Amino acid sequence: MSVLDLKLERAFDVFDSDRDGRLEKSDVIGVSDRLAESLGCAPDAVDRLRDSLADLWDTVFQKMDKNHDGVVDRQEFRAAFRARIVTDQNRIWERIRNMSNAWTELGDRDGDGMLSREEYTSLLHGMFRLPRETFDEAFDRLDVNGDGQLSRDEISSAMKEYYTSENHTARGNQFFGRL
């Protein structure tokens, strides 16, 4: 399995809220609700994230459902994501960036426009339910300029590498922790 396939498998697991091996719109949108709960936010505080995830489902994920059964399985997800990356990278990336910006905004608790290590860890732990320790090494790799903060550009660049790079050493591979 290629490094991109490994990352897409992990991404699928992140979005598969109920762990049934199938993605539905409620799984994808449910990521925002998990984040609101983990951050102690009111549900309306994640409206922008919820909207960006709904748009991601409607414009990207739903089209992955090749057998039209209303759900996206792992094979459909991996094959379609790879095809979209090649043929429609700008449009898919715009939607991923919108989602990234929305949850970065939520995670930026002190409002400085950056994510500290604690903000990054809390955000990803809350959104994806991965152990907090998973993100220490990831944070160090993603903090390109070594200032102890992640800027939107660093986050955006890392996410793009995560979803597009076949390079085993790409920093973005660490976005959800070590592969």
Side-chain angles (χ1 to χ4, degrees), residues 20-86:
D20 67 354
R22 304 163 6 140
L23 295 181
E24 299 175 65
K25 189 172 187 174
S26 61
D27 284 316
V28 175
I29 292 172
V31 171
S32 63
D33 298 326
R34 287 195 319 262
L35 182 59
E37 179 186 319
S38 74
L39 294 177
C41 299
D44 63 341
V46 296
D47 283 348
R48 184 169 168 228
L49 177 59
R50 186 178 294 110
D51 292 346
S52 71
L53 288 165
D55 180 57
L56 191 63
W57 174 267
D58 292 341
T59 60
V60 177
F61 285 38
Q62 189 173 26
K63 293 175 182 171
M64 294 176 177
D65 181 15
K66 295 301 180 193
N67 64 359
H68 306 290
D69 64 353
V71 298
V72 176
D73 64 32
R74 286 180 185 282
Q75 292 74 26
E76 288 172 325
F77 179 81
R78 196 171 51 236
F81 211 103
R82 280 181 159 281
R84 291 290 301 263
I85 293 287
V86 171

Side-chain angles (χ1 to χ4, degrees), residues 24-170:
E24 299 175 65
K25 189 172 187 174
S26 61
D27 284 316
V28 175
I29 292 172
V31 171
S32 63
D33 298 326
R34 287 195 319 262
L35 182 59
E37 179 186 319
S38 74
L39 294 177
C41 299
D44 63 341
V46 296
D47 283 348
R48 184 169 168 228
L49 177 59
R50 186 178 294 110
D51 292 346
S52 71
L53 288 165
D55 180 57
L56 191 63
W57 174 267
D58 292 341
T59 60
V60 177
F61 285 38
Q62 189 173 26
K63 293 175 182 171
M64 294 176 177
D65 181 15
K66 295 301 180 193
N67 64 359
H68 306 290
D69 64 353
V71 298
V72 176
D73 64 32
R74 286 180 185 282
Q75 292 74 26
E76 288 172 325
F77 179 81
R78 196 171 51 236
F81 211 103
R82 280 181 159 281
R84 291 290 301 263
I85 293 287
V86 171
T87 62
D88 195 17
Q89 191 173 96
N90 290 334
R91 286 181 35 199
I92 195 171
W93 181 241
E94 177 184 332
R95 286 174 174 83
I96 291 171
R97 189 175 50 245
N98 288 342
M99 176 193 66
S100 170
N101 287 340
W103 67 256
T104 299
E105 208 171 273
L106 283 169
D108 181 17
R109 305 302 258 172
D110 62 9
D112 67 355
M114 309 279 271
L115 291 182
S116 66
R117 180 183 302 271
E118 178 56 34
E119 289 169 334
Y120 171 77
T121 300
S122 293
L123 182 64
L124 289 179
H125 170 72
M127 192 168 183
F128 303 122
R129 306 289 184 183
L130 297 172
R132 289 179 181 272
E133 304 79 43
T134 302
F135 305 112
D136 275 337
E137 183 180 346
F139 184 91
D140 291 338
R141 294 266 304 151
L142 301 178
D143 184 12
V144 176
N145 62 7
D147 67 354
Q149 305 271 355
L150 296 179
S151 69
R152 282 186 185 212
D153 288 341
E154 286 171 319
I155 293 167
S156 180
S157 174
M159 282 191 86
K160 188 168 190 174
E161 279 185 346
Y162 185 87
Y163 285 106
T164 63
S165 178
E166 289 279 10
N167 180 346
H168 291 279
T169 62

